[in-house]
């Protein structure tokens, strides 16, 4: 690991000023991914600014939404009474996203910013990684790609976005609040992440030095039901092969409102507008759910190692929707 300077910020303004002034300075919160990447030599900041002591934690309710401080831990958010009652698929995603030990350390802001789980990105011995070294190529495209993306990919990168909780958050039209040298701004989560295109090293729309301060999460309407399903190789602490987070309002057998997002398949948390269009005003039947799944995976781009994900993702979404509709226990 490269030696680095450690600074504990006393307020958000100081933290933003320190990081914004130096491209070789980064924020530190829970550090559950960042420190591993530093040990592996993938990330090499000269200075870390610790924001964990800033007053950026806690969950508050506004009646129609909750505001989650950026340094709120995954475990704290999962235990919040409003989340348990009104946003159960967020709780499910959090509990399935990490072990208890990690949930007590990892922050919500950090979870949204976690780096790709691509084995080639995380191995500095692999030269071809456009995300780590722009213009060097993508080893995953010609290598073993079972844990990679099939939606939102490009010829330059197929790395997967691995966050579980980002899936229901993007389905809910959550807003990320940030503070920078030019003041605060809010960014819809559906606009926060950037697809790889020909610049996979640029993963989101944050300007260097902008600090996530909170995430605003709209509550589901009364009567809505939701579920998050994660399919993985093993039950204990494993990343998703495919996942789905959905919320439906069903009245007299018809779906009047639908929110759908997929995980384990996209280069970013994948909001499926296509599936939602199929579901709205349609009967809550298996045929409808299958049509929605087909629409959600339309245009998937696969390699020999990822082709299985198309059918698996469809089955994952259908089962999620059936569970919500009460067809499954």
């Amino acid at each position: 690991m490269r030696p680095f300077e450690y600074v504990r910020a006393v307020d958000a303004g100081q933290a933003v000023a320190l990081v914004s002034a130096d491209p070789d300075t980064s924020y530190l919160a829970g550090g559950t991914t960042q420190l591993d990447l530093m040990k592996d030599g993938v990330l090499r900041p000269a200075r870390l600014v610790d924001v964990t002591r800033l007053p950026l934690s806690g969950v508050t309710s506004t009646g129609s939404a909750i505001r989650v401080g950026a340094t709120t831990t995954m475990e704290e958010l999962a235990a919040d009474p409003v989340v348990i009652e009104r946003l159960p698929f967020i709780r499910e995603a959090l509990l399935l996203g990490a072990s208890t030990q990690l949930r007590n350390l990892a922050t919500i802001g950090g979870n949204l910013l976690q780096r790709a789980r691509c084995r080639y990105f995380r191995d500095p011995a692999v030269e071809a990684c456009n995300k780590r070294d722009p213009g060097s190529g993508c080893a995953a495209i010609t290598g073993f790609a079972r844990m990679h993306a099939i939606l939102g990919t490009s010829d330059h990168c197929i790395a997967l976005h691995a966050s579980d909780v980002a899936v229901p958050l993007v389905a809910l039209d959550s807003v990320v609040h940030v503070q920078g040298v030019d003041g605060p701004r809010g960014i819809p989560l559906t606009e926060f992440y950037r697809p790889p295109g020909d610049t996979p090293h640029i993963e989101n729309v944050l300007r260097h030095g902008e600090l996530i301060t909170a995430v605003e999460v709209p509550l589901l309407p009364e009567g809505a039901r939701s579920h998050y399903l994660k399919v993985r190789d093993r039950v204990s602490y494993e990343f998703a092969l495919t996942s789905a987070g959905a919320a439906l309002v069903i009245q007299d057998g018809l779906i009047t409102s639908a929110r759908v997002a997929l995980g384990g398949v996209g280069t970013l948390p994948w909001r499926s507008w296509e599936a939602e269009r199929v579901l709205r005003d349609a009967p809550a039947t298996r045929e409808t759910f299958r049509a929605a799944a087909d629409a959600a995976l339309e245009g998937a781009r696969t390699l020999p190692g990822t082709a299985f994900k198309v059918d698996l993702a469809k089955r994952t979404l259908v089962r999620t929707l059936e569970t919500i509709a009460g067809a499954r226990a």
Side-chain angles (χ1 to χ4, degrees), residues 27-48:
Y27 292 114
L28 173 68
T32 53
T33 295
Q34 185 177 24
L35 294 179
D36 285 342
L37 292 175
M38 289 172 63
K39 292 175 183 177
D40 291 338
V42 176
L43 299 181
R44 306 181 75 241
R47 179 197 294 159
L48 291 179

Side-chain angles (χ1 to χ4, degrees), residues 52 60 69 116 143 164 179 202 237 239 261 264 292 319 327:
T52 55
T60 57
D164 285 287
Q179 181 175 336
I202 304 176
Y237 187 45
F239 295 102
R319 180 167 179 177

Side-chain angles (χ1 to χ4, degrees), residues 34-169:
Q34 185 177 24
L35 294 179
D36 285 342
L37 292 175
M38 289 172 63
K39 292 175 183 177
D40 291 338
V42 176
L43 299 181
R44 306 181 75 241
R47 179 197 294 159
L48 291 179
V49 177
D50 188 340
V51 297
T52 55
R53 300 297 179 90
L54 303 183
L56 298 177
S57 65
V59 183
T60 57
S61 177
T62 64
S64 61
I66 58 171
R67 188 178 179 93
V68 183
T71 59
T72 305
T73 66
M74 295 173 66
E75 188 69 12
E76 289 169 338
L77 183 58
D80 182 79
V82 177
V83 172
I84 294 171
E85 181 180 356
R86 297 290 300 277
L87 298 166
F89 68 153
I90 287 183
R91 174 177 167 82
E92 291 168 342
L94 289 164
L95 296 180
L96 292 170
S99 65
T100 305
Q101 294 91 334
L102 286 176
R103 293 199 306 269
N104 276 295
L105 184 63
T107 65
I108 297 304
N111 187 282
L112 295 181
L113 292 175
Q114 66 177 290
R115 302 303 300 275
R117 295 289 165 178
C118 174
R119 61 188 295 181
Y120 304 103
F121 167 72
R122 289 171 173 259
D123 185 356
V126 176
E127 295 182 359
C129 177
N130 289 318
K131 190 176 287 291
R132 182 167 21 87
D133 184 14
S136 62
C138 178
I141 291 177
T142 56
F144 183 74
R146 186 170 183 268
M147 297 298 295
H148 287 71
I150 59 174
L151 294 172
T153 62
S154 75
D155 292 336
H156 301 274
C157 185
I158 60 171
L160 183 72
H161 193 281
S163 172
D164 285 287
V165 73
V167 175
L169 288 178

Side-chain angles (χ1 to χ4, degrees), residues 270-309:
W270 197 262
R271 178 74 176 270
S272 184
W273 310 101
E274 298 81 5
E276 292 178 4
R277 282 192 286 269
V278 171
L279 291 167
R280 289 195 192 101
D281 301 319
T285 62
R286 185 174 180 84
E287 290 70 25
T288 297
F289 300 155
R290 284 176 170 170
D294 288 339
L297 274 296
E298 184 72 27
R301 179 184 179 185
T302 66
L303 297 169
T306 60
F308 76 98
K309 283 196 170 189

